[in-house]
Amino acid sequence: MAPYSLLVTRLQKALGVRQYHVASVLCQRAKVAMSHFEPSEYIHYDLLEKNINIVRKRLNRPLTLSEKIVYGHLDDPANQEIERGKTYLRLRPDRVAMQDATAQMAMLQFISSGLPRVAVPSTIHCDHLIEAQVGGEKDLRRAKDINQEVYNFLATAGAKYGVGFWKPGSGIIHQIILENYAYPGVLLIGTDSHTPNGGGLGGICIGVGGADAVDVMAGIPWELKCPKVIGVKLTGSLSGWTSPKDVILKVAGILTVKGGTGAIVEYHGPGVDSISCTGMATICNMGAEIGATTSVFPYNHRMKKYLSKTGRADIANLADEFKDHLVPDPGCHYDQLIEINLNELKPHINGPFTPDLAHPVAEVGMVAEKEGWPLDIRVGLIGSCTNSSYEDMGRSAAVAKQALAHGLKCKSQFTITPGSEQIRATIERDGYAQILRDVGGIVLANACGPCIGQWDRKDIKKGEKNTIVTSYNRNFTGRNDANPETHAFVTSPEIVTALAIAGTLKFNPETDFLTSKDGKKFKLEAPDADELPKAEFDPGQDTYQHPPKDSSGQRVDVSPTSQRLQLLEPFDKWDGKDLEDLQILIKVKGKCTTDHISAAGPWLKFRGHLDNISNNLLIGAINIENGKANSVRNAVTQEFGPVPDTARYYKKQGIKWVVIGDENYGEGSSREHAALEPRHLGGRVIITKSFARIHETNLKKQGLLPLTFADPADYNKIHPVDKLTIQGLKDFAPGKPLKCIIKHPNGTQETILLNHTFNETQIEWFRAGSALNRMKELQQ
């Protein structure tokens, strides 16, 4: 049978110039568009219903909401093997979303595929390349000038291949998706780890690498290991200073940064109705920090209200008709169940250096004193994709207004990042932005900014110990400002605002007093703000570029001398032999996130140029041999040098190499550069105690071997000076361990077993050299 991508192309020719998503062609009963930007792409609840009924009959048991949406998008629901945590599902997502940093490589890979146009609705969002310096308008102008080449590439590639393009200044991808594209029951994949934000509107929205996005855009079934389901039952209701952010901060403290790996977190229970739609999105967004595949809430009246307010009442009405499929079945089974009483939940603040180190706000000052963390808060930062809703900004403004009434301003520096142009325009109209400026804040561009390291920070020097508090989602070492001594804490926007006014971690707004300008003591009251604006949202400037119906005359140019964009060359195929005498590039000690493997910040400008960005490979990882970052021994010269330089030396000498990692290797961002770079510089194998989900898949996609120790204690048997041979590749098969021969310098050897999670399709990727190579083979 012809590959699905070819069937899509043939269907396109049969139907005319415009290419249709196959599911849309098959199922247009309701005639409700997914988005007003794509009036001919319809929501297919009837197909979802049909697939759910097939699976329900097969499994003969109640289904969780997660199962309904995921199984409702199966490519072959009648025959797909389904076992939570074990089998791989072949799915048909409804749409793809890409942010500009990851879209570059995704679109370069799609261009390499040779396909003429994307098979599903897809969008690009320019939010990652805008550096925070002085304020929104000036920073945006500067970004447009500096990044003109990249923006032009993305705009023309979008026009050529049928991808919608959101220009710089539009806002953060996840807020744009929530406002325009997410809907109850959607299966959406995005090339950013915080794509789960869309779970706040009842969708299954999953972060992936660019190669996964290419599969979906090419019309190929997307593979996902059948997720387990963790239930979080919410009772009671939120009140006072406690916010939706505190729910996920509490959950992160319970599950840790890897406790959700391989699972969807499904919130349910009577407490759900006390949380706004954007509050649910906040909880789902930061679910990425516990390693979860995604998070989701059941469809309810708060979502209906949000859909109506954002101009999508027709979707809400359709969702009402199919509501039984958009909530969990009574009596459904969860693999793990957590219960949280919202009446008892207190405001939390998590950190520093990891988002799962949870503290009640009332206790963090005492803990900081004990641990020697700086109490003085240098900067408070609110906004980001996690907390930049109208409600968030309103609650922060309510706190700021009280301080202003008593003659106070922030003791700490204070920044505000609107999540979208629509949010920016609306909070300007309704006065929130001015209140936040009056209390000492600077309104930054509608972009990621300091959350991802795009922050030209001037108030400290690198190496200076200091504390910042943010309403962001993650706080790994050096993430926000590239300073490893910045102690970053994550909390709600209103708590950030209160702490920035007080200037110290020891302040608890629930109990502590401030001193007004006239010397009187006063206590801040718990903030109250509207969930949604009373008037309609102000859309602000029009920043969307529709792809043309006829793109035949569109050109996409990549200069061969460009330092920011580089067309891709295919990786080499597996030679059919075992991997012998692999040199250890680095044995990593402790936490190694994608920030450690492929740093962001100033490196973002090279996301479209694989060779240039490979100069940041593993520069943040700690070498167990000497306890230093970016310093490894060259096995040939015996000299210590930077990791990328050593990898390039090995590649030039024809020496294949391996990385040894610790627990949850590759946690954090979805950035596939952390997989592309080691492959590009000659890496073949990554061996760890455990992997983060997205990173493990990204490594497989690029033809690398992500393997885990059958016995985690074997990590201690390997030393940086050893050489490794991986045996058993000729008989490589699902569930069959591989052997690793450890060759010590003294001539002795020992054998250990390595596990893997490859299925048949992924083994084909390895043999072909990459998933993209395999796609091309199928087309020929």
Side-chain angles (χ1 to χ4, degrees), residues 169-398:
S170 303
I172 304 173
I173 176 173
H174 312 302
Q175 184 67 29
I176 297 292
I177 289 171
L178 200 71
E179 292 172 353
N180 299 280
Y181 299 115
Y183 61 84
V186 70
L187 177 59
L188 179 151
I189 70 165
T191 60
D192 189 278
S193 56
H194 294 102
T195 301
N197 191 79
L201 252 179
I204 294 293
C205 303
I206 301 176
V208 299
D212 274 346
V214 172
D215 278 357
V216 179
M217 291 191 292
I220 295 172
W222 175 60
E223 291 200 346
L224 175 74
K225 181 177 276 191
C226 187
K228 293 184 177 181
V229 187
I230 298 173
V232 179
K233 183 178 181 179
L234 302 178
T235 58
S237 61
L238 292 175
S239 62
W241 284 92
T242 306
S243 73
K245 186 67 165 279
D246 297 306
V247 176
I248 186 58
L249 294 175
K250 178 71 173 180
V251 171
I254 294 169
L255 288 176
T256 77
V257 290
K258 63 177 183 176
T261 302
I264 294 176
V265 179
E266 184 173 311
Y267 293 85
H268 63 283
V272 167
D273 286 340
S274 75
I275 305 173
S276 66
C277 177
T278 52
M280 293 184 230
T282 290
I283 294 167
C284 292
N285 177 294
M286 198 175 158
E289 310 321 316
I290 56 175
T293 300
T294 192
S295 301
V296 68
F297 277 83
Y299 177 62
N300 68 357
H301 70 282
R302 309 298 283 264
M303 294 182 192
K304 181 173 184 176
K305 186 177 179 181
Y306 183 80
L307 284 168
S308 298
K309 201 68 175 181
T310 51
R312 294 174 287 171
D314 53 347
I315 295 178
N317 292 333
L318 186 64
D320 284 343
E321 291 182 34
F322 288 84
K323 184 171 182 180
D324 287 348
H325 303 301
L326 304 174
V327 296
D329 286 341
C332 64
H333 170 72
Y334 295 103
D335 296 283
Q336 181 180 351
L337 184 62
I338 297 168
E339 296 193 31
I340 297 176
N341 185 340
L342 300 180
N343 292 333
E344 299 172 356
L345 185 64
K346 288 292 187 180
H348 273 62
I349 182 168
N350 289 20
F353 306 125
T354 184
D356 59 347
L357 186 56
H359 321 275
V361 171
E363 299 174 12
V364 70
M366 179 178 62
V367 175
E369 281 186 317
K370 180 181 176 182
E371 298 292 337
W373 303 331
L375 292 171
D376 179 53
I377 297 170
R378 298 295 290 269
V379 191
L381 306 99
I382 66 169
S384 83
C385 66
T386 317
N387 276 111
S388 56
S389 69
Y390 185 83
E391 181 182 35
D392 288 328
M393 295 297 163
R395 284 172 68 87
S396 293

